[in-house]
Amino acid sequence: MVMKYTIEERKEIARSLRREGYNCAQCVAMSFDDVLSSDKVIAASLAAQGFGSGYGGRGYVCGAVSGANMVLGLLGPTPRPELYRKVGELIDGFSALEGAVNCADLKKPGRKPCLELITDAVEILHRQLEASHE
């Protein structure tokens, strides 16, 4: 896999998508269009299906984490144990940085705004993908 974007370019793509009104899951998933086996429209449609604001606005798993998980799943066929390991690494990295993965916890007063959570998820996933292809 060859990544076309740098981390900073990818984060700017995600910020731009957020300004256009896309949800957290969409911003993350669509910012990886260069490595997906599907196109940006499919990523946007998939991520629009109730993943924003913690699964349909219920505060469960953060949409940014869900979007990153979708990217891992859309990269191509991966044996389930390997995919689960990669998803686990993603969740562990996000949780270590943010202190939580559930949207309701992340939106409590004094926490980072969603845009920063989006760019953090983009950076974690980008670094994970780089490391897996070195």
Side-chain angles (χ1 to χ4, degrees):
M1 167 186 50
V2 176
M3 291 198 286
K4 176 177 156 184
Y5 307 123
T6 66
I7 287 176
E8 290 308 317
E9 289 171 328
R10 198 174 301 284
K11 287 162 73 171
E12 185 49 44
I13 291 167
R15 286 183 198 103
S16 176
L17 291 165
R18 186 64 174 183
R19 284 190 298 270
E20 292 175 34
Y22 288 98
N23 73 34
C24 299
Q26 290 174 306
C27 293
V28 174
M30 293 168 67
S31 68
F32 285 87
D33 68 325
D34 60 319
V35 298
L36 295 177
S37 56
S38 60
D39 65 27
K40 193 179 255 187
V41 173
I42 292 172
S45 295
L46 226 164
Q49 304 306 316
F51 291 97
S53 296
Y55 285 21
R58 296 202 173 199
Y60 301 132
V61 176
C62 171
V65 174
S66 297
N69 188 1
M70 285 176 217
V71 171
L72 290 172
L74 289 169
L75 286 175
T78 304
R80 188 176 297 167
E82 182 181 344
L83 179 61
Y84 285 5
R85 181 188 56 75
K86 289 177 180 182
V87 171
E89 288 174 5
L90 170 76
I91 291 168
D92 291 345
F94 190 87
S95 181
L97 182 62
E98 311 300 352
V101 292
N102 282 341
C103 189
D105 296 326
L106 294 166
K107 287 187 172 184
K108 288 181 178 175
R111 301 300 296 255
K112 289 182 180 178
C114 290
L115 186 57
E116 288 183 41
L117 298 172
I118 290 166
T119 57
D120 286 349
V122 165
E123 183 166 346
I124 291 166
L125 181 57
H126 184 97
R127 289 189 189 284
Q128 185 179 0
L129 295 177
E130 274 183 332
S132 70
H133 288 90
E134 289 181 344

